[in-house]
Amino acid sequence: MKKIISLAVVFLFAGSICFAQVKSYKAEAYEDIPSNKSQDEVILSLTDKLTKEAIESSGLKLRPYKLSQDEYNKFVKSNTSIDVKNKKVFFKKGRVQCAYVRLFVQMDADEAKKYLDNLKAAKETKKEENTDNKVQQEVQAPRKAEKTEVVAKTETPKKVEKEEKTPAPTVSEILDTPPTETKPAEDKKDKKADKKAKKEADKKAKQEVKEEAKKKSKEKAPADKPNSTPAVEGKIKTEKPENVTSSTVVSEVNVFKNNMSIDQALEEAYRVKQETKGLLDNFDKTLEESKVSDTKAKISETAVSIIKPKIEYLKFFQTERFADENADKAKVLSLGPIKEDAEYFIIKIIYLYTKEQPVMSNIIYDISDIDLEQAKIMHSTPNNFVIDPLFSVEEDESGNVQRVLTAFSVKHTELMKEQKVKASTKVKTFSEIKRFEVYENILNSKQENSKQEKKK
C-alpha cells in the first residue's frame, strides 16, 4: 500500500513538472544616445522597456493590474529570469552614438498571471478595508466636532474674522512672497498647548463613540444616509505636480502603447502639444517681465514641476512606434543567404510611404532563437513574410503633428513572432521640448550656484 501511495505522489509531482509552461520571450531594439544622457542610462532604460515588451508578448497584459513601480519590480524578480544576450554601443552614419540590446525573458505565463491575480485581489481587499475605515471616521466626525468646539472657541474673534476676510493669494503674489519671519517663543508655546488640548479632546471623543462606530461600520456608506456629514464631501487628496516623477509618468504613459494606433497617437499628441504650448506661453510672458534672478529661478522651478509630465508624454510619442491597420504592407524584393554563423539573413524590401516617396531598405532578420531547419523553410517562402510599417509622431514645418516612418514589424506565417526593426528616419523634435529646456537650464544653474555658495 505504501508503495502505491509513493508511486502516486511521484506521478503527481512529475505531472506538475510536465505541465509547467516556462517559455522564452525575446525582445530587441536600438536607441540613439542623446547628449544629456550616459550610455549606462540609455541601456538601463532600454533593457527595462524591452523586458516589459517581452513579458507582454506572452499575451499577459500588465495595464489592467495598475502596478506601482515597487509591485512591478517584485513581480519581475519573482516570476521571470532575464538573460541579456547582446548589449553594445556603436556609432551610426553621421557619428550618431547608438545603443543596442537583445534579451530573453523566461517565464511561465500562467503562473505569472496567477501571481498578478492574487496581487490584484489583495489590493481590492485592502481597498475595501480602507473604505470601512473611512466610514468609521465619518461616523465619528459629528462627535469629534462637538468635543472640539470648546477648544475652537478659545481662538480670538479677531483672528477668525481676519481669516474670513483674507482673499486667496494669486500666482504672482506667491512667487513674490518674501520669506516668513520667525514667530516668538511664546507663540510656539501657545500653539503646542492648543495642539495638546485638541489631541486630548479627540482621544476622549474617540473612546465615547467606539462602540457606536463598530456597529455602524458594517452599514452602508454615509452617502446613502440622510444624517451623513456634508463636510466630508469633496475631500479628495490631490498630489502636487512636483510630486509626480518622470519615471512615474513614463510608466503611466507606456500602458497606452499596445492599444494606441498612429491616428490616435496623432490626436493625443496634438492635444498634449497644444496644452503644453499654452502653459509655456504663460510662463514665457511671466519670465520676460521678471528682472530678478531669484524670481526667475522660482518661476522656472514652478514651470518645471507643472510642465515636465507633459514633456515626458510628448517624448513618448516621438520615441514609441505605432501601427496603422490601413497602411500598405511592405513588399519583399529578395532574400539574402542565411548567415549561419551570424544567425541572420537580409530581407530587401520596398515600401510606398507616399506616392512620391518609395522607401527601399535592407532588414536584418534574426534567426538566433529559431531552429535552423525551420529558418530554411521560412527562407524558401519569402512571400509569406508580413511586413508592416510602424510610425512615430513628429513636428512639421508649420508646428503641427505628422507621422514619420521609424520601424517595421516583421512576421512570417510559419512563425508569427514579431520582430521590430528600426528604420533610419530621424524624428523632428517638438518645439515645446526645446522651449522647456530653457526653464530646466535656469533651474540647474540656480542649483549649481547654491552648491558653490555652500562650499564657500
Side-chain angles (χ1 to χ4, degrees):
M1 185 66 183
K2 290 182 179 179
K3 290 182 178 179
I4 295 173
I5 294 172
S6 300
L7 287 171
V9 172
V10 170
F11 283 129
L12 286 172
F13 180 72
S16 64
I17 295 175
C18 292
F19 284 107
Q21 296 294 323
V22 178
K23 294 183 179 179
S24 182
Y25 302 95
K26 177 186 169 184
E28 64 177 344
Y30 296 87
E31 187 170 321
D32 293 345
I33 300 176
S35 58
N36 60 342
K37 287 187 179 181
S38 66
Q39 296 178 5
D40 292 338
E41 286 177 326
V42 173
I43 290 175
L44 185 63
S45 64
L46 187 57
T47 302
D48 183 62
K49 173 183 168 184
L50 291 175
T51 300
K52 290 180 180 179
E53 285 186 3
I55 291 172
E56 294 196 335
S57 68
S58 69
L60 181 62
K61 304 303 178 185
L62 300 177
R63 179 182 180 185
Y65 296 99
K66 299 179 181 179
L67 300 177
S68 65
Q69 189 62 42
D70 288 339
E71 289 170 344
Y72 171 75
N73 292 338
K74 289 179 182 177
F75 164 73
V76 172
K77 186 176 180 181
S78 303
N79 295 273
T80 68
S81 175
I82 302 171
D83 183 13
V84 179
K85 287 289 186 183
N86 199 348
K87 180 173 62 176
K88 62 182 179 180
V89 176
F90 59 94
F91 283 95
K92 301 190 303 184
K93 291 181 179 180
R95 304 300 294 171
V96 176
Q97 200 172 25
C98 182
Y100 169 74
V101 175
R102 179 165 65 96
L103 56 80
F104 291 86
V105 173
Q106 294 180 349
M107 179 182 70
D108 185 337
D110 293 335
E111 290 298 323
K113 188 176 186 304
K114 287 180 183 178
Y115 177 95
L116 292 174
D117 288 340
N118 292 335
L119 177 62
K120 185 179 181 180
K123 289 168 71 175
E124 289 176 352
T125 302
K126 187 175 180 181
K127 185 178 180 181
E128 290 175 1
E129 291 176 356
N130 292 337
T131 302
D132 291 340
N133 292 335
K134 184 179 179 182
V135 171
Q136 184 176 349
Q137 291 174 2
E138 290 172 351
V139 170
Q140 294 174 356
R143 292 292 184 90
K144 288 184 178 181
E146 292 176 4
K147 295 296 179 181
T148 56
E149 186 177 3
V150 177
V151 179
K153 287 182 179 179
T154 59
E155 297 181 359
T156 59
K158 291 183 180 180
K159 184 178 179 181
V160 175
E161 183 180 354
K162 184 178 180 181
E163 290 177 355
E164 291 177 350
K165 292 183 178 181
T166 304
T170 62
V171 175
S172 59
E173 288 174 345
I174 292 173
L175 293 174
D176 297 332
T177 301
T180 307
E181 295 181 358
T182 307
K183 293 185 177 181
E186 294 181 0
D187 290 345
K188 291 183 179 180
K189 291 180 180 180
D190 293 339
K191 190 175 181 181
K192 288 181 179 179
D194 290 343
K195 188 176 181 181
K196 186 177 181 181
K198 288 181 181 180
K199 187 176 181 180
E200 291 176 355
D202 290 342
K203 186 177 179 180
K204 189 176 179 180
K206 185 176 180 180
Q207 291 175 351
E208 290 179 358
V209 298
K210 186 176 181 181
E211 295 300 326
E212 182 182 354
K214 286 182 179 180
K215 294 178 181 179
K216 293 187 178 183
S217 62
K218 297 179 181 180
E219 299 175 2
K220 293 182 180 180
D224 298 330
K225 301 177 184 179
N227 295 328
S228 61
T229 309
V232 177
E233 296 179 3
K235 288 188 177 180
I236 301 173
K237 185 177 179 183
T238 305
E239 293 185 354
K240 297 179 180 179
E242 54 266 29
N243 291 336
V244 182
T245 62
S246 59
S247 61
T248 304
V249 173
V250 171
S251 178
E252 292 173 353
V253 169
N254 280 341
V255 300
F256 292 96
K257 178 175 59 177
N258 294 323
N259 297 328
M260 194 178 291
S261 66
I262 182 58
D263 290 333
Q264 292 171 327
L266 286 166
E267 183 179 349
E268 182 71 2
Y270 178 78
R271 181 187 66 79
V272 178
K273 190 174 185 296
Q274 292 301 111
E275 290 178 359
T276 308
K277 181 179 181 299
L279 289 170
L280 285 167
D281 288 343
N282 291 334
F283 277 107
D284 286 351
K285 185 177 180 181
T286 308
L287 193 67
E288 289 176 3
E289 294 173 353
S290 303
K291 297 181 179 179
V292 182
S293 59
D294 288 341
T295 305
K296 287 186 176 182
K298 198 170 184 179
I299 293 170
S300 298
E301 184 177 6
T302 306
V304 169
S305 65
I306 293 174
I307 303 176
K308 189 167 185 176
K310 294 184 181 295
I311 294 296
E312 295 296 332
Y313 201 5
L314 289 177
K315 289 179 180 179
F316 163 75
F317 291 111
Q318 301 219 281
T319 56
E320 292 301 323
R321 301 149 186 174
F322 307 94
D324 183 356
E325 295 179 356
N326 300 319
D328 294 332
K329 300 185 184 302
K331 294 182 179 180
V332 177
L333 297 178
S334 62
L335 300 181
I338 295 178
K339 304 288 186 180
E340 296 183 10
D341 294 337
E343 299 180 322
Y344 72 90
F345 58 81
I346 302 294
I347 305 176
K348 189 174 183 179
I349 66 167
I350 183 170
Y351 172 66
L352 195 63
Y353 184 33
T354 64
K355 291 182 178 179
E356 299 81 17
Q357 233 179 356
V359 174
M360 294 185 67
S361 181
N362 291 330
I363 293 177
I364 299 176
Y365 190 77
D366 187 359
I367 57 173
S368 59
D369 60 338
I370 303 173
D371 182 74
L372 183 58
E373 292 302 319
Q374 187 178 21
K376 289 180 179 179
I377 293 173
M378 295 168 65
H379 188 268
S380 64
T381 54
N383 292 333
N384 289 350
F385 276 98
V386 180
I387 303 177
D388 291 304
L390 298 175
F391 306 92
S392 298
V393 184
E394 69 173 3
E395 185 175 88
D396 63 12
E397 299 298 331
S398 303
N400 296 317
V401 296
Q402 65 180 11
R403 67 175 65 191
V404 57
L405 179 67
T406 51
F408 288 99
S409 168
V410 185
K411 296 179 183 178
H412 191 277
T413 55
E414 292 292 329
L415 182 70
M416 290 301 289
K417 186 175 180 180
E418 183 183 28
Q419 286 191 28
K420 291 182 180 179
V421 182
K422 186 176 180 181
S424 59
T425 312
K426 292 184 179 180
V427 180
K428 296 177 184 176
T429 307
F430 290 133
S431 56
E432 286 75 17
I433 296 176
K434 296 178 180 178
R435 289 174 63 186
F436 176 75
E437 292 175 354
V438 174
Y439 294 94
E440 283 191 319
N441 292 336
I442 293 174
L443 186 58
N444 292 337
S445 178
K446 175 65 177 178
Q447 292 173 348
E448 187 64 29
N449 291 338
S450 299
K451 289 180 182 179
Q452 292 179 358
E453 289 177 1
K454 287 181 180 179
K455 289 180 180 181
K456 293 179 181 179

